[in-house]
Amino acid sequence: DGLVSGDPVYVNFGTIEDFEWLEAEHPGTTQGKICLARYGQIFRGNKADNAAAFGCIGLGIFLDPSTAAQEGTEEENLYPNTFWMDGTAVQRGSLALSDGDPQTANWPSVDHAYRLDEEDRMAYLPTIPVQPFGYTDAEVILRNMAGKKAPEEWQGGIKNLTYLIGGSLTNGGKLEIEVNNKLEEKVSSNVIGVR
């Protein structure tokens, strides 16, 4: 659970190298900020872990046309006409830094398995709120950011947009992320199809 409000900072793919470059070139840029990372290069859970380690209070992860719509963002180039994603598509999946149930990290979650206590299992889960979104929403945020231009290799695929490192919004507002996840034990089924 969590609600955070702050200024946005674009962190490219959110790799350790991306954060280290920001810290070297623009010290303190990510401290207390909501970081925006595009999907790709590393696992989404590592993006969240890196963001927290470099002082971000929240993380937005977005699909970028450079990876999600490589043939263009026109309707004929997107699902259902192709497998490329439109601007409202959101990637789903776990952020846990372990496989399976965080209570039995990397082991089967069977009745007789040893279960980690809450403090130990939290080491596998994000410590900051994280929200995924598509490139339509990302464009609205990125177009309203102020700050220095991001390096050329950090530029993404949203048309007619120069990706900025940011640090504030042009209207003086703040970006908010609200996450309402509950740590509850649930039974889920694995559906396996065979031919």
mmCIF file of all heavy atoms in Angstrom, residues 24-64:
data_model
loop_
_atom_site.group_PDB
_atom_site.id
_atom_site.type_symbol
_atom_site.label_atom_id
_atom_site.label_comp_id
_atom_site.label_asym_id
_atom_site.label_seq_id
_atom_site.Cartn_x
_atom_site.Cartn_y
_atom_site.Cartn_z
ATOM 1 N N ALA A 24 26.280 10.546 -11.134
ATOM 2 C CA ALA A 24 27.562 11.166 -11.476
ATOM 3 C C ALA A 24 27.368 12.512 -12.174
ATOM 4 O O ALA A 24 28.072 13.483 -11.886
ATOM 5 C CB ALA A 24 28.375 10.224 -12.368
ATOM 6 N N GLU A 25 26.406 12.575 -13.104
ATOM 7 C CA GLU A 25 26.196 13.792 -13.898
ATOM 8 C C GLU A 25 25.272 14.813 -13.232
ATOM 9 O O GLU A 25 25.392 16.004 -13.470
ATOM 10 C CB GLU A 25 25.627 13.418 -15.276
ATOM 11 C CG GLU A 25 26.553 12.575 -16.126
ATOM 12 C CD GLU A 25 27.828 13.313 -16.502
ATOM 13 O OE1 GLU A 25 27.753 14.514 -16.859
ATOM 14 O OE2 GLU A 25 28.909 12.686 -16.429
ATOM 15 N N HIS A 26 24.330 14.324 -12.447
ATOM 16 C CA HIS A 26 23.332 15.186 -11.793
ATOM 17 C C HIS A 26 23.098 14.692 -10.372
ATOM 18 O O HIS A 26 22.055 14.104 -10.084
ATOM 19 C CB HIS A 26 22.013 15.185 -12.585
ATOM 20 C CG HIS A 26 22.174 15.505 -14.036
ATOM 21 N ND1 HIS A 26 22.337 16.789 -14.502
ATOM 22 C CD2 HIS A 26 22.222 14.691 -15.127
ATOM 23 C CE1 HIS A 26 22.468 16.763 -15.820
ATOM 24 N NE2 HIS A 26 22.407 15.507 -16.218
ATOM 25 N N PRO A 27 24.067 14.892 -9.474
ATOM 26 C CA PRO A 27 23.977 14.335 -8.116
ATOM 27 C C PRO A 27 22.659 14.710 -7.418
ATOM 28 O O PRO A 27 22.195 15.840 -7.502
ATOM 29 C CB PRO A 27 25.172 14.959 -7.393
ATOM 30 C CG PRO A 27 26.124 15.337 -8.480
ATOM 31 C CD PRO A 27 25.277 15.692 -9.665
ATOM 32 N N GLY A 28 22.082 13.717 -6.747
ATOM 33 C CA GLY A 28 20.864 13.944 -5.968
ATOM 34 C C GLY A 28 19.581 14.035 -6.771
ATOM 35 O O GLY A 28 18.515 14.273 -6.214
ATOM 36 N N THR A 29 19.665 13.838 -8.094
ATOM 37 C CA THR A 29 18.500 14.005 -8.963
ATOM 38 C C THR A 29 17.337 13.097 -8.593
ATOM 39 O O THR A 29 16.184 13.488 -8.722
ATOM 40 C CB THR A 29 18.900 13.739 -10.436
ATOM 41 O OG1 THR A 29 19.878 14.695 -10.812
ATOM 42 C CG2 THR A 29 17.721 13.851 -11.374
ATOM 43 N N THR A 30 17.613 11.892 -8.138
ATOM 44 C CA THR A 30 16.544 10.929 -7.877
ATOM 45 C C THR A 30 16.059 10.935 -6.433
ATOM 46 O O THR A 30 15.033 10.322 -6.130
ATOM 47 C CB THR A 30 16.996 9.501 -8.247
ATOM 48 O OG1 THR A 30 18.175 9.178 -7.502
ATOM 49 C CG2 THR A 30 17.288 9.389 -9.734
ATOM 50 N N GLN A 31 16.748 11.623 -5.557
ATOM 51 C CA GLN A 31 16.389 11.629 -4.138
ATOM 52 C C GLN A 31 15.001 12.236 -3.922
ATOM 53 O O GLN A 31 14.752 13.382 -4.279
ATOM 54 C CB GLN A 31 17.419 12.408 -3.319
ATOM 55 C CG GLN A 31 18.791 11.793 -3.288
ATOM 56 C CD GLN A 31 18.801 10.448 -2.591
ATOM 57 O OE1 GLN A 31 18.227 10.268 -1.529
ATOM 58 N NE2 GLN A 31 19.445 9.475 -3.217
ATOM 59 N N GLY A 32 14.096 11.440 -3.336
ATOM 60 C CA GLY A 32 12.766 11.931 -3.014
ATOM 61 C C GLY A 32 11.875 12.160 -4.229
ATOM 62 O O GLY A 32 10.854 12.842 -4.131
ATOM 63 N N LYS A 33 12.241 11.588 -5.370
ATOM 64 C CA LYS A 33 11.488 11.801 -6.611
ATOM 65 C C LYS A 33 10.736 10.525 -7.003
ATOM 66 O O LYS A 33 11.038 9.438 -6.543
ATOM 67 C CB LYS A 33 12.427 12.190 -7.757
ATOM 68 C CG LYS A 33 13.267 13.444 -7.500
ATOM 69 C CD LYS A 33 12.414 14.686 -7.433
ATOM 70 C CE LYS A 33 13.165 15.920 -7.019
ATOM 71 N NZ LYS A 33 14.054 16.497 -7.944
ATOM 72 N N ILE A 34 9.760 10.701 -7.892
ATOM 73 C CA ILE A 34 9.095 9.569 -8.515
ATOM 74 C C ILE A 34 9.810 9.324 -9.834
ATOM 75 O O ILE A 34 9.847 10.194 -10.700
ATOM 76 C CB ILE A 34 7.597 9.845 -8.739
ATOM 77 C CG1 ILE A 34 6.893 9.983 -7.389
ATOM 78 C CG2 ILE A 34 6.973 8.726 -9.578
ATOM 79 C CD1 ILE A 34 5.419 10.315 -7.478
ATOM 80 N N CYS A 35 10.434 8.188 -9.934
ATOM 81 C CA CYS A 35 11.218 7.877 -11.119
ATOM 82 C C CYS A 35 10.358 7.197 -12.173
ATOM 83 O O CYS A 35 9.425 6.458 -11.849
ATOM 84 C CB CYS A 35 12.404 6.996 -10.735
ATOM 85 S SG CYS A 35 13.582 7.894 -9.711
ATOM 86 N N LEU A 36 10.648 7.476 -13.426
ATOM 87 C CA LEU A 36 9.946 6.894 -14.565
ATOM 88 C C LEU A 36 10.944 6.088 -15.377
ATOM 89 O O LEU A 36 11.951 6.626 -15.840
ATOM 90 C CB LEU A 36 9.354 7.997 -15.444
ATOM 91 C CG LEU A 36 8.434 9.004 -14.753
ATOM 92 C CD1 LEU A 36 8.054 10.110 -15.719
ATOM 93 C CD2 LEU A 36 7.202 8.316 -14.211
ATOM 94 N N ALA A 37 10.665 4.814 -15.539
ATOM 95 C CA ALA A 37 11.552 3.927 -16.289
ATOM 96 C C ALA A 37 10.751 3.228 -17.373
ATOM 97 O O ALA A 37 9.599 2.871 -17.170
ATOM 98 C CB ALA A 37 12.185 2.892 -15.364
ATOM 99 N N ARG A 38 11.385 3.029 -18.519
ATOM 100 C CA ARG A 38 10.703 2.247 -19.547
ATOM 101 C C ARG A 38 11.053 0.776 -19.373
ATOM 102 O O ARG A 38 12.114 0.419 -18.860
ATOM 103 C CB ARG A 38 11.024 2.755 -20.946
ATOM 104 C CG ARG A 38 12.468 2.979 -21.262
ATOM 105 C CD ARG A 38 12.618 3.634 -22.629
ATOM 106 N NE ARG A 38 14.023 3.970 -22.835
ATOM 107 C CZ ARG A 38 14.629 3.977 -23.996
ATOM 108 N NH1 ARG A 38 13.959 3.692 -25.092
ATOM 109 N NH2 ARG A 38 15.893 4.285 -24.091
ATOM 110 N N TYR A 39 10.108 -0.084 -19.768
ATOM 111 C CA TYR A 39 10.334 -1.518 -19.703
ATOM 112 C C TYR A 39 11.462 -1.904 -20.640
ATOM 113 O O TYR A 39 11.651 -1.305 -21.685
ATOM 114 C CB TYR A 39 9.072 -2.290 -20.122
ATOM 115 C CG TYR A 39 8.066 -2.443 -19.009
ATOM 116 C CD1 TYR A 39 6.928 -1.663 -18.982
ATOM 117 C CD2 TYR A 39 8.252 -3.378 -18.000
ATOM 118 C CE1 TYR A 39 5.988 -1.805 -17.968
ATOM 119 C CE2 TYR A 39 7.333 -3.535 -16.991
ATOM 120 C CZ TYR A 39 6.194 -2.745 -16.975
ATOM 121 O OH TYR A 39 5.278 -2.892 -15.971
ATOM 122 N N GLY A 40 12.189 -2.949 -20.281
ATOM 123 C CA GLY A 40 13.243 -3.484 -21.128
ATOM 124 C C GLY A 40 14.557 -3.581 -20.398
ATOM 125 O O GLY A 40 14.746 -3.010 -19.325
ATOM 126 N N GLN A 41 15.461 -4.323 -20.964
ATOM 127 C CA GLN A 41 16.838 -4.557 -20.529
ATOM 128 C C GLN A 41 16.962 -5.360 -19.246
ATOM 129 O O GLN A 41 17.788 -6.254 -19.185
ATOM 130 C CB GLN A 41 17.633 -3.255 -20.436
ATOM 131 C CG GLN A 41 17.910 -2.650 -21.787
ATOM 132 C CD GLN A 41 18.981 -1.577 -21.746
ATOM 133 O OE1 GLN A 41 19.572 -1.300 -20.703
ATOM 134 N NE2 GLN A 41 19.227 -0.972 -22.885
ATOM 135 N N ILE A 42 16.198 -5.038 -18.193
ATOM 136 C CA ILE A 42 16.291 -5.804 -16.949
ATOM 137 C C ILE A 42 14.885 -6.120 -16.441
ATOM 138 O O ILE A 42 13.897 -5.515 -16.874
ATOM 139 C CB ILE A 42 17.099 -5.057 -15.848
ATOM 140 C CG1 ILE A 42 16.428 -3.736 -15.467
ATOM 141 C CG2 ILE A 42 18.541 -4.843 -16.291
ATOM 142 C CD1 ILE A 42 17.053 -3.054 -14.249
ATOM 143 N N PHE A 43 14.799 -7.035 -15.507
ATOM 144 C CA PHE A 43 13.542 -7.446 -14.900
ATOM 145 C C PHE A 43 12.904 -6.277 -14.140
ATOM 146 O O PHE A 43 13.601 -5.507 -13.483
ATOM 147 C CB PHE A 43 13.808 -8.628 -13.962
ATOM 148 C CG PHE A 43 12.638 -9.051 -13.123
ATOM 149 C CD1 PHE A 43 11.448 -9.471 -13.711
ATOM 150 C CD2 PHE A 43 12.723 -9.021 -11.739
ATOM 151 C CE1 PHE A 43 10.369 -9.858 -12.935
ATOM 152 C CE2 PHE A 43 11.653 -9.417 -10.957
ATOM 153 C CZ PHE A 43 10.465 -9.833 -11.558
ATOM 154 N N ARG A 44 11.583 -6.175 -14.232
ATOM 155 C CA ARG A 44 10.857 -5.065 -13.606
ATOM 156 C C ARG A 44 11.090 -4.976 -12.101
ATOM 157 O O ARG A 44 11.131 -3.883 -11.533
ATOM 158 C CB ARG A 44 9.360 -5.151 -13.939
ATOM 159 C CG ARG A 44 8.656 -6.332 -13.390
ATOM 160 C CD ARG A 44 7.195 -6.393 -13.850
ATOM 161 N NE ARG A 44 7.008 -7.069 -15.107
ATOM 162 C CZ ARG A 44 6.969 -8.395 -15.253
ATOM 163 N NH1 ARG A 44 7.127 -9.184 -14.206
ATOM 164 N NH2 ARG A 44 6.777 -8.930 -16.423
ATOM 165 N N GLY A 45 11.260 -6.119 -11.434
ATOM 166 C CA GLY A 45 11.524 -6.099 -9.997
ATOM 167 C C GLY A 45 12.865 -5.467 -9.664
ATOM 168 O O GLY A 45 13.006 -4.795 -8.636
ATOM 169 N N ASN A 46 13.853 -5.664 -10.553
ATOM 170 C CA ASN A 46 15.155 -5.024 -10.347
ATOM 171 C C ASN A 46 15.071 -3.513 -10.546
ATOM 172 O O ASN A 46 15.779 -2.753 -9.886
ATOM 173 C CB ASN A 46 16.206 -5.622 -11.277
ATOM 174 C CG ASN A 46 16.496 -7.061 -10.945
ATOM 175 O OD1 ASN A 46 16.177 -7.951 -11.716
ATOM 176 N ND2 ASN A 46 17.080 -7.317 -9.783
ATOM 177 N N LYS A 47 14.199 -3.057 -11.452
ATOM 178 C CA LYS A 47 13.990 -1.613 -11.634
ATOM 179 C C LYS A 47 13.498 -0.994 -10.328
ATOM 180 O O LYS A 47 13.982 0.056 -9.901
ATOM 181 C CB LYS A 47 12.978 -1.345 -12.742
ATOM 182 C CG LYS A 47 13.427 -1.754 -14.136
ATOM 183 C CD LYS A 47 12.295 -1.569 -15.151
ATOM 184 C CE LYS A 47 12.627 -2.204 -16.478
ATOM 185 N NZ LYS A 47 13.659 -1.534 -17.233
ATOM 186 N N ALA A 48 12.523 -1.668 -9.691
ATOM 187 C CA ALA A 48 11.973 -1.169 -8.426
ATOM 188 C C ALA A 48 13.034 -1.178 -7.328
ATOM 189 O O ALA A 48 13.147 -0.224 -6.549
ATOM 190 C CB ALA A 48 10.774 -2.010 -8.016
ATOM 191 N N ASP A 49 13.815 -2.238 -7.267
ATOM 192 C CA ASP A 49 14.878 -2.348 -6.269
ATOM 193 C C ASP A 49 15.934 -1.263 -6.482
ATOM 194 O O ASP A 49 16.379 -0.611 -5.531
ATOM 195 C CB ASP A 49 15.496 -3.743 -6.366
ATOM 196 C CG ASP A 49 16.276 -4.149 -5.132
ATOM 197 O OD1 ASP A 49 15.773 -3.919 -4.012
ATOM 198 O OD2 ASP A 49 17.382 -4.706 -5.282
ATOM 199 N N ASN A 50 16.331 -1.049 -7.734
ATOM 200 C CA ASN A 50 17.316 -0.002 -8.046
ATOM 201 C C ASN A 50 16.783 1.381 -7.685
ATOM 202 O O ASN A 50 17.499 2.207 -7.118
ATOM 203 C CB ASN A 50 17.685 -0.029 -9.529
ATOM 204 C CG ASN A 50 18.412 -1.305 -9.933
ATOM 205 O OD1 ASN A 50 18.902 -2.041 -9.088
ATOM 206 N ND2 ASN A 50 18.456 -1.563 -11.233
ATOM 207 N N ALA A 51 15.512 1.644 -8.037
ATOM 208 C CA ALA A 51 14.922 2.956 -7.760
ATOM 209 C C ALA A 51 14.934 3.246 -6.259
ATOM 210 O O ALA A 51 15.303 4.342 -5.826
ATOM 211 C CB ALA A 51 13.499 3.025 -8.314
ATOM 212 N N ALA A 52 14.546 2.257 -5.460
ATOM 213 C CA ALA A 52 14.550 2.440 -4.010
ATOM 214 C C ALA A 52 15.969 2.672 -3.495
ATOM 215 O O ALA A 52 16.197 3.544 -2.646
ATOM 216 C CB ALA A 52 13.923 1.230 -3.331
ATOM 217 N N ALA A 53 16.934 1.923 -4.021
ATOM 218 C CA ALA A 53 18.328 2.046 -3.573
ATOM 219 C C ALA A 53 18.899 3.429 -3.879
ATOM 220 O O ALA A 53 19.780 3.902 -3.159
ATOM 221 C CB ALA A 53 19.185 0.966 -4.227
ATOM 222 N N PHE A 54 18.397 4.082 -4.936
ATOM 223 C CA PHE A 54 18.900 5.402 -5.305
ATOM 224 C C PHE A 54 17.992 6.529 -4.812
ATOM 225 O O PHE A 54 18.065 7.646 -5.306
ATOM 226 C CB PHE A 54 19.130 5.482 -6.814
ATOM 227 C CG PHE A 54 20.416 4.819 -7.243
ATOM 228 C CD1 PHE A 54 20.453 3.460 -7.512
ATOM 229 C CD2 PHE A 54 21.598 5.538 -7.331
ATOM 230 C CE1 PHE A 54 21.633 2.833 -7.891
ATOM 231 C CE2 PHE A 54 22.785 4.935 -7.701
ATOM 232 C CZ PHE A 54 22.806 3.566 -7.978
ATOM 233 N N GLY A 55 17.134 6.229 -3.833
ATOM 234 C CA GLY A 55 16.381 7.271 -3.141
ATOM 235 C C GLY A 55 15.052 7.669 -3.738
ATOM 236 O O GLY A 55 14.445 8.632 -3.275
ATOM 237 N N CYS A 56 14.565 6.961 -4.745
ATOM 238 C CA CYS A 56 13.249 7.284 -5.315
ATOM 239 C C CYS A 56 12.161 6.907 -4.306
ATOM 240 O O CYS A 56 12.284 5.911 -3.599
ATOM 241 C CB CYS A 56 13.014 6.520 -6.612
ATOM 242 S SG CYS A 56 14.247 6.846 -7.878
ATOM 243 N N ILE A 57 11.081 7.685 -4.268
ATOM 244 C CA ILE A 57 9.972 7.381 -3.368
ATOM 245 C C ILE A 57 8.867 6.601 -4.069
ATOM 246 O O ILE A 57 7.935 6.107 -3.432
ATOM 247 C CB ILE A 57 9.387 8.655 -2.731
ATOM 248 C CG1 ILE A 57 8.872 9.618 -3.809
ATOM 249 C CG2 ILE A 57 10.421 9.320 -1.827
ATOM 250 C CD1 ILE A 57 8.067 10.787 -3.282
ATOM 251 N N GLY A 58 8.937 6.492 -5.380
ATOM 252 C CA GLY A 58 7.965 5.750 -6.166
ATOM 253 C C GLY A 58 8.543 5.507 -7.544
ATOM 254 O O GLY A 58 9.531 6.151 -7.941
ATOM 255 N N LEU A 59 7.925 4.572 -8.277
ATOM 256 C CA LEU A 59 8.410 4.244 -9.612
ATOM 257 C C LEU A 59 7.232 4.009 -10.535
ATOM 258 O O LEU A 59 6.313 3.262 -10.205
ATOM 259 C CB LEU A 59 9.286 2.978 -9.564
ATOM 260 C CG LEU A 59 9.777 2.439 -10.903
ATOM 261 C CD1 LEU A 59 10.758 3.412 -11.561
ATOM 262 C CD2 LEU A 59 10.428 1.071 -10.729
ATOM 263 N N GLY A 60 7.263 4.654 -11.679
ATOM 264 C CA GLY A 60 6.333 4.368 -12.760
ATOM 265 C C GLY A 60 7.105 3.665 -13.860
ATOM 266 O O GLY A 60 8.161 4.135 -14.278
ATOM 267 N N ILE A 61 6.600 2.512 -14.298
ATOM 268 C CA ILE A 61 7.262 1.774 -15.377
ATOM 269 C C ILE A 61 6.325 1.786 -16.575
ATOM 270 O O ILE A 61 5.165 1.396 -16.463
ATOM 271 C CB ILE A 61 7.561 0.315 -14.989
ATOM 272 C CG1 ILE A 61 8.268 0.233 -13.634
ATOM 273 C CG2 ILE A 61 8.428 -0.343 -16.053
ATOM 274 C CD1 ILE A 61 8.518 -1.199 -13.157
ATOM 275 N N PHE A 62 6.821 2.256 -17.717
ATOM 276 C CA PHE A 62 5.949 2.376 -18.879
ATOM 277 C C PHE A 62 6.493 1.638 -20.096
ATOM 278 O O PHE A 62 7.693 1.489 -20.279
ATOM 279 C CB PHE A 62 5.692 3.847 -19.221
ATOM 280 C CG PHE A 62 6.897 4.624 -19.686
ATOM 281 C CD1 PHE A 62 7.172 4.766 -21.036
ATOM 282 C CD2 PHE A 62 7.733 5.238 -18.769
ATOM 283 C CE1 PHE A 62 8.261 5.494 -21.474
ATOM 284 C CE2 PHE A 62 8.838 5.979 -19.191
ATOM 285 C CZ PHE A 62 9.096 6.104 -20.552
ATOM 286 N N LEU A 63 5.540 1.150 -20.890
ATOM 287 C CA LEU A 63 5.872 0.593 -22.194
ATOM 288 C C LEU A 63 6.206 1.758 -23.114
ATOM 289 O O LEU A 63 5.494 2.759 -23.123
ATOM 290 C CB LEU A 63 4.689 -0.182 -22.754
ATOM 291 C CG LEU A 63 4.347 -1.491 -22.051
ATOM 292 C CD1 LEU A 63 3.010 -2.023 -22.529
ATOM 293 C CD2 LEU A 63 5.440 -2.521 -22.296
ATOM 294 N N ASP A 64 7.274 1.648 -23.849
ATOM 295 C CA ASP A 64 7.678 2.696 -24.773
ATOM 296 C C ASP A 64 7.506 2.175 -26.196
ATOM 297 O O ASP A 64 7.761 0.990 -26.453
ATOM 298 C CB ASP A 64 9.139 3.075 -24.527
ATOM 299 C CG ASP A 64 9.546 4.314 -25.287
ATOM 300 O OD1 ASP A 64 9.288 5.418 -24.777
ATOM 301 O OD2 ASP A 64 10.104 4.177 -26.396
#
